[in-house]
Amino acid sequence: MKFQRVKALTSKEIKKTIREPAVLFMIFLFPIVFVLAFGMSFGGLGGSTQPVYALGVVNMDQQNTANYTLHFIDALSATKILSVQIYVDNQTAQDDLSQGKVQAVMLIPDGFSQSLVSYNAVPDDPSQWVNVTVSLYLDKGSIVATQAIPPIIQQVLDTFTNQDRQTVLTPVSLQIASYVETKQTSAFEFMAPGMFTFASIFLIMMVAQSFTQDRENGMMKRIRTTPTTPTEFMTSQIISYMLIALIQAVLVFAAIHLIGFKPNVDFSAYALAFVFVLIFSLSNVGFGLITATVAKTSNAATGLSFLFVLPQLFLGTFVGASLSSAAQTASKFVPSYYVTDALTSLFLRGAHVTSQTVLFDFATVTASCILILAAGIILYAKYYRI
Amino acid sequence: MDKFAIVMEDVVKNFEDVTAVNHVSLHVASGELFGLLGPNGAGKTTTVNMLCGLLKPTSGSVFVGGYDVQKENVKVKELIGVCPQETATYPYLTGIENIELFGNLYTLDRKTLSARRDMLLEKMGLAQDAKRKVEKYSGGMKRRLSIILALIHNPQIIFLDEPTIGMDPQSRRAVWDFMQELKREGKTIFLTTHYMEEAEILCDRVGIIDYGKLIAVDAPKKLISKYGVANLEEVFIKLTGRKIREEV
Ligand SMILES: Nc1ncnc2c1ncn2[C@@H]1O[C@H](COP(=O)(O)OP(=O)(O)O)[C@@H](O)[C@H]1O
Ligand SMILES: [Mg+2]
């Protein structure tokens, strides 16, 4: 492989992107305008019909007098909105929370039962009560969960302290005191990770157009009369679109930063986010090639590319913020979902770059994108010579 | 280099419903300026595409520079320069950028590339417009650029598929002069055309192709005297009973 050829072809591809106004708009301006418009206009949250939230419970209560703790947990499960998962130690629970496996973690403190016992003994004399605090940690990335979970738990707690209708005036000594991650995530922040993926998906159309156009105007053939090898040509295409994806990601990042998305994470999270976008761009080249194989003309390619653009858009980015459960299942089959999921873990849940979820997403994205790219190259090479 | 730059042995090319090239055998000597002459649809482009490895013959074999085009594709590609019939250039690049891209594809070094580039731009009368984007070029300018792209690496064997089609007389003359200069340098040129006078003025030998069949091969003068006519146009009429350019 001759670097001189790859470099020349890459620079040609980049020049095309920068110089053709339609391409420039589609690749750079459109995503940014979309992100800005979306971010500025998106106010409330789209509350869908009663989803189930996973609540991690860490029970630190030593004296389980009167089984209050168990009753409490049972009462929480009975709400049907919460699916309770018991943890033996706080650390595991917190890890799972940061990786999005549960939406909230509740810490039942030592003395919880004792507190309720003291309350029931003298419901009218607060000075005799043992005060405890139930701590609740919430997933910043799940906006619906942050708003829905605390009131549910509060309601359940109230049933333990206000059983007697006559004593409504009695102050409740139990309170949810510890919102460690109480900062309310805005709807925009919730969607920000998906925006990285969003911009990149349109590369599918660009790649498909690039190949069909070069076929139409005879450039593919002309390149084939030179000693350029198919490997050199494909490498130049892959490098070009990785570069374009990188520039896109930087621009989108600047745009969402401008709107106010400033995740409090270290450099490694950002670096990994960009690596994700780069690897994801491979699948766009792959889907673009598949489109270019099927499409006879560049016009047909534009339309056909939406066959790959739309599912990835609606199932794997912020566009499909509240999905039906069927769509949630379907989303597991698009690579963009894993990119968005990983970026959400990194930026919103504060997951470490080496955490299990992020690594799983990374492996999934890498494997699927390489497969899609390979499929694209094989399919294209079967019907057209490169 | 081989005695023969181009050898075709009983070559047939079938498309789904037509036989584009029908049992053609041909030898073109090294250093020869050969013209393949024929009306539209005769099979000229199909022939060139097989010679430069873009199309696989249905049967028969093709050798260029002594190499089997099918088996030693890479060797052949390094020897040849091809100017396709459609003016394939990148519209969003400037003339210079197009030239440099192809120079790099042939892995020319910087110095050689810029020297060849400037010489060819001058020869083809494009020096003035070299820095403009090709989408702003006229049809004739694109053709001249296309010829430069084919010649940037100073190839030994040159294929020019209807290079002067749609050019103004002045540009056509410049291209003819340049082809003769290339011939003096010892290059082999395989030219296709349906312009009789082009073939007559330039070519050492011409092959007349009609409906995929090579119906005559000889020096223009010999063909003219053999059929006792005034020019190649009349040779074609004599052979086929038709005028060569009736459909243009
Ligand atoms: N890719 C193709 N598929 C089907 N038929 C083709 C193809 N290319 C050329 N032909 C047919 O082969 C014949 C010769 O075409 P061509 O070589 O382009 O002629 P010329 O260059 O002499 O005008 C024509 O009848 C043309 O329609
Ligand atoms: Mg032709």
Side-chain angles (χ1 to χ4, degrees):
Chain A
M1 188 152 82
K2 289 264 175 33
F3 178 68
Q4 189 178 356
R5 289 190 191 126
V6 175
K7 188 180 157 212
L9 287 167
T10 303
S11 115
K12 174 220 78 175
E13 203 64 30
I14 300 284
K15 278 178 191 146
K16 162 157 74 191
T17 310
I18 293 168
R19 288 182 189 173
E20 290 204 339
V23 179
L24 192 65
F25 173 79
M26 202 59 216
I27 290 195
F28 298 125
L29 245 45
F30 174 64
I32 292 168
V33 169
F34 199 94
V35 163
L36 289 176
F38 217 83
M40 283 170 177
S41 62
F42 209 93
L45 50 117
S48 53
T49 48
Q50 294 294 323
V52 176
Y53 304 109
L55 172 70
V57 174
V58 187
N59 187 7
M60 316 256 273
D61 198 8
Q62 302 287 333
Q63 321 105 299
N64 203 354
T65 331
N67 265 345
Y68 273 121
T69 317
L70 277 182
H71 288 316
F72 180 40
I73 292 169
D74 285 347
L76 287 170
S77 302
T79 60
K80 300 266 195 288
I81 303 168
L82 298 175
S83 110
V84 175
Q85 216 171 310
I86 310 288
Y87 288 92
V88 280
D89 69 309
N90 192 18
Q91 193 50 50
T92 317
Q94 296 296 338
D95 284 352
D96 279 6
L97 176 62
S98 76
Q99 295 174 28
K101 289 179 183 163
V102 292
Q103 276 82 55
V105 167
M106 187 177 68
L107 223 69
I108 300 177
D110 191 18
F112 175 82
S113 297
Q114 202 189 343
S115 170
L116 283 177
V117 168
S118 73
Y119 166 83
N120 283 325
V122 276
D124 299 324
D125 187 1
S127 67
Q128 306 266 324
W129 298 343
V130 180
N131 293 320
V132 289
T133 307
V134 169
S135 315
L136 187 62
Y137 304 87
L138 290 161
D139 175 6
K140 264 178 54 166
S142 172
I143 178 152
V144 192
T146 51
Q147 303 210 340
I149 294 175
I152 296 166
I153 295 175
Q154 184 62 58
Q155 232 176 350
V156 174
L157 272 178
D158 286 349
T159 61
F160 284 86
T161 53
N162 289 336
Q163 290 146 321
D164 189 348
R165 291 276 161 211
Q166 255 67 35
T167 58
V168 271
L169 292 173
T170 312
V172 183
S173 65
L174 295 170
Q175 55 183 11
I176 301 162
S178 180
Y179 283 94
V180 166
E181 310 231 350
T182 48
K183 181 182 168 290
Q184 287 282 311
T185 308
S186 76
F188 178 74
E189 273 181 298
F190 178 51
M191 293 184 302
M195 291 181 180
F196 282 88
T197 332
F198 172 80
S200 181
I201 287 171
F202 287 92
L203 288 182
I204 295 174
M205 191 196 293
M206 277 25 269
V207 173
Q209 281 178 345
S210 176
F211 274 82
T212 44
Q213 269 167 11
D214 281 1
R215 227 161 56 202
E216 277 170 354
N217 61 25
M219 286 320 290
M220 280 298 190
K221 272 194 194 165
R222 182 152 211 167
I223 300 277
R224 265 171 52 210
T225 69
T226 73
T228 311
T229 65
T231 311
E232 286 162 346
F233 188 80
M234 282 314 303
T235 307
S236 77
Q237 293 288 312
I238 291 165
I239 294 177
S240 303
Y241 288 99
M242 279 185 139
L243 271 175
I244 292 166
L246 191 68
I247 299 170
Q248 273 185 327
V250 170
L251 290 176
V252 167
F253 185 76
I256 54 184
H257 206 74
L258 214 71
I259 292 184
F261 179 71
K262 295 176 176 74
N264 188 20
V265 293
D266 64 11
F267 176 75
S268 63
Y270 286 108
L272 189 61
F274 282 96
V275 172
F276 262 99
V277 172
L278 280 183
I279 294 172
F280 181 60
S281 66
L282 295 180
S283 74
N284 296 321
V285 175
F287 282 132
L289 280 170
I290 295 172
T291 309
T293 308
V294 181
K296 291 263 185 293
T297 66
S298 57
N299 283 333
T302 309
L304 272 172
S305 64
F306 275 91
L307 232 58
F308 298 109
V309 170
L310 291 181
Q312 298 237 75
L313 210 59
F314 285 109
L315 298 174
T317 76
F318 67 95
V319 176
S322 49
L323 291 171
S324 71
S325 64
Q328 269 172 11
T329 311
S331 69
K332 303 289 194 300
F333 293 94
V334 300
S336 57
Y337 168 84
Y338 297 94
V339 179
T340 304
D341 186 62
L343 299 197
T344 306
S345 295
L346 286 170
F347 287 152
L348 297 183
R349 300 180 190 127
H352 195 259
V353 288
T354 56
S355 65
Q356 215 186 337
T357 307
V358 174
L359 288 181
F360 172 76
D361 285 337
F362 190 77
T364 311
V365 169
T366 307
S368 62
C369 289
I370 287 175
L371 269 176
I372 292 164
L373 177 66
I377 293 174
I378 291 167
L379 207 65
Y380 191 87
K382 191 172 170 207
Y383 291 95
Y384 300 96
R385 284 211 268 158
I386 300 166
Chain B
M1 167 142 307
D2 252 49
K3 182 163 168 273
F4 292 112
I6 298 165
V7 175
M8 296 176 75
E9 284 172 353
D10 199 25
V11 174
V12 175
K13 179 68 195 179
N14 291 325
F15 292 112
E16 302 92 61
D17 48 351
V18 285
T19 300
V21 173
N22 198 349
H23 296 284
V24 167
S25 295
L26 178 71
H27 287 69
V28 175
S30 289
E32 188 174 359
L33 205 171
F34 185 88
L36 192 60
L37 184 65
N40 274 329
K44 302 184 294 297
T45 299
T46 307
T47 303
V48 169
N49 284 347
M50 286 189 289
L51 288 173
C52 61
L54 288 175
L55 279 178
K56 192 175 177 318
T58 308
S59 67
S61 26
V62 180
F63 298 87
V64 168
Y67 299 107
D68 186 318
V69 174
Q70 286 304 310
K71 292 187 189 127
E72 290 165 294
N73 209 280
V74 181
K75 287 258 168 53
V76 171
K77 283 175 177 180
E78 272 159 11
L79 275 181
I80 63 172
V82 184
C83 180
Q85 182 176 345
E86 66 271 32
T87 42
T89 49
Y90 287 114
Y92 44 82
L93 298 183
T94 65
I96 284 193
E97 286 167 342
N98 268 288
I99 297 169
E100 288 178 348
L101 169 59
F102 277 80
N104 282 317
L105 293 184
Y106 287 106
T107 57
L108 300 185
D109 64 76
R110 214 176 246 280
K111 245 178 87 186
T112 315
L113 177 50
S114 59
R116 295 273 313 161
R117 177 195 68 199
D118 294 343
M119 183 275 284
L120 289 165
L121 280 170
E122 201 57 52
K123 283 254 154 60
M124 289 289 128
L126 275 180
Q128 295 284 307
D129 300 289
K131 291 201 170 114
R132 292 172 68 203
K133 275 199 219 159
V134 172
E135 62 197 4
K136 302 266 160 45
Y137 280 19
S138 72
M141 286 162 77
K142 284 183 200 159
R143 288 218 156 262
R144 283 180 276 152
L145 177 63
S146 185
I147 294 174
I148 298 179
L149 301 188
L151 299 177
I152 184 66
H153 56 300
N154 200 11
Q156 277 307 308
I157 302 171
I158 302 160
F159 294 97
L160 302 168
D161 195 355
E162 312 224 21
T164 61
I165 209 169
M167 267 189 195
D168 59 274
Q170 200 184 336
S171 302
R172 182 168 296 161
R173 260 253 109 71
V175 172
W176 288 355
D177 288 346
F178 191 47
M179 274 193 248
Q180 276 161 335
E181 195 179 319
L182 290 170
K183 190 192 141 48
R184 281 196 294 277
E185 288 171 18
K187 307 281 194 282
T188 307
I189 303 174
F190 190 96
L191 167 83
T192 80
T193 184
H194 64 259
Y195 294 123
M196 293 292 168
E197 67 278 25
E198 185 162 282
E200 216 168 306
I201 293 171
L202 282 176
C203 299
D204 298 324
R205 284 192 308 149
V206 295
I208 297 177
I209 187 170
D210 193 34
Y211 293 119
K213 284 203 165 120
L214 199 58
I215 51 179
V217 185
D218 215 330
K221 280 208 183 81
K222 285 193 182 158
L223 284 174
I224 291 166
S225 70
K226 181 178 172 189
Y227 290 95
V229 289
N231 52 39
L232 279 180
E233 180 85 53
E234 289 174 17
V235 172
F236 189 80
I237 296 172
K238 218 135 191 154
L239 282 165
T240 65
R242 289 178 289 123
K243 281 187 150 188
I244 197 165
R245 261 191 284 174
E246 46 197 6
E247 58 264 71
V248 180

